[in-house]
Amino acid sequence: MTRVLIINGPNLGRLGVREPEIYGADTHDDLVAVVGEWGSALGLDVEVRQSDDEATLVGWLHEAADARTHVVLNPAAFTHYSYALRDAAAQVTSAGLTLIEVHLSNPHARESFRHHSTISGVATGTIAGLGFTSYHLALEAIRVSRLED
């Protein structure tokens, strides 16, 4: 079974209470439950992790590259300035694995500082602005990419 690690960055543990007008009322626990269901339906072994700590996220990306695990990454605020996260993400794709960058909201429809992603240039693809559905589409993309191998 294809393994997928979903990594969520800073403040995503606050879903449901943080700016619900942007991120909705569903919680991170709701996200974990629904992506688990989607993963099972797609024949994927999905694990979801969240941290506000950049070093932890980098370590998880290293772990994914070493374990040959595909990644769905929502770098959250680190999207815009974390070159450490970018370099760790590049190790995943350099290993021939799929890494999909996801965002709940559309960064390009928000403040100008959110328009730049340090991750997009090394990601296999980017899906943004579709709420939790962004994760479903990312899992589907990984499933399809594995069928093509």
Side-chain angles (χ1 to χ4, degrees), residues 12-141:
L12 289 169
R14 305 279 301 155
L15 288 175
V17 295
R18 177 185 175 229
E19 298 177 276
E21 66 281 3
I22 294 172
Y23 300 106
D26 293 323
T27 67
H28 191 266
D29 287 342
D30 295 331
L31 176 63
V32 171
V34 74
V35 298
E37 292 171 15
W38 291 333
S40 292
L42 293 169
L44 303 171
D45 177 16
V46 175
E47 179 183 356
V48 182
R49 299 178 187 175
Q50 188 278 325
S51 179
D52 297 327
D53 180 63
E54 183 179 23
T56 299
L57 300 175
V58 167
W60 289 342
L61 288 166
H62 293 169
E63 178 186 321
D66 293 346
R68 310 264 328 131
T69 302
H70 305 284
V71 174
V72 174
L73 173 64
N74 186 336
F78 291 135
T79 301
H80 317 295
Y81 65 90
S82 177
Y83 295 104
L85 204 59
R86 180 243 179 252
D87 290 348
Q91 291 177 46
V92 173
T93 54
S94 293
L97 300 162
T98 302
L99 183 142
I100 306 294
E101 175 187 9
V102 299
H103 299 282
L104 295 165
S105 67
N106 179 355
H108 296 282
R110 299 186 59 201
E111 304 92 340
S112 62
F113 75 87
R114 297 184 193 275
H115 296 181
H116 173 73
S117 170
T118 63
I119 307 299
S120 293
V122 298
T124 307
T126 301
I127 302 168
L130 302 172
F132 284 10
T133 303
S134 295
Y135 290 85
H136 186 257
L137 294 172
L139 291 172
E140 181 66 28

